[in-house]
Amino acid sequence: MKYVVLIYGNPESRAAWEGMSDEQRAAGLAYYQQLNDDLDASGERIVSERLAFPELTKQVGITTDGPFAEAKEFLAGFYLLDCESEDRALEIAAKVPEASFGKVEVRPVMGLHGPEL
């Protein structure tokens, strides 16, 4: 079953990251690298990426007031997983640091012909 884990940031989490020392940032990135390595070893990680800040966002379609959706949260990164169950996807999502102070969302992946479950 494929699931996407959406990791959201907000101004507070961004300020916290920017306020960290180089050593704290290195430890945070090392944690993510270990999570990636663990998910690669289990065969569950298809891809994961960190996304640029909203200021670099470009939209196509209806014009809005700003360069991003009218929301405090912004999509900061994601994991695309292939897991045995939704429970396993939720277990992995809970390991994402933002889950303890922000928002992490788990969604089943939908193919063109329905869920890829």
Side-chain angles (χ1 to χ4, degrees), residues 4 13 28 43 46 64-65 68 76-77 79 81 83 90 101 104 106 113 115:
V4 65
S13 64
I46 296 170
T64 63
D65 294 351
F68 43 84
Y79 279 86
L81 306 173
C83 302
L90 291 168
F101 61 86
V104 176
V106 176
H113 305 290

Side-chain angles (χ1 to χ4, degrees), residues 25-47:
R25 286 185 190 171
L29 293 174
Y31 177 88
Y32 270 105
Q33 185 60 58
Q34 185 61 55
L35 179 58
N36 289 349
D37 291 346
D38 292 346
L39 294 172
D40 287 345
S42 70
E44 293 171 305
R45 183 172 81 113
I46 296 170
V47 66

Side-chain angles (χ1 to χ4, degrees), residues 109-117:
V109 172
M110 302 289 286
L112 293 176
H113 305 290
E116 294 190 12
L117 305 173

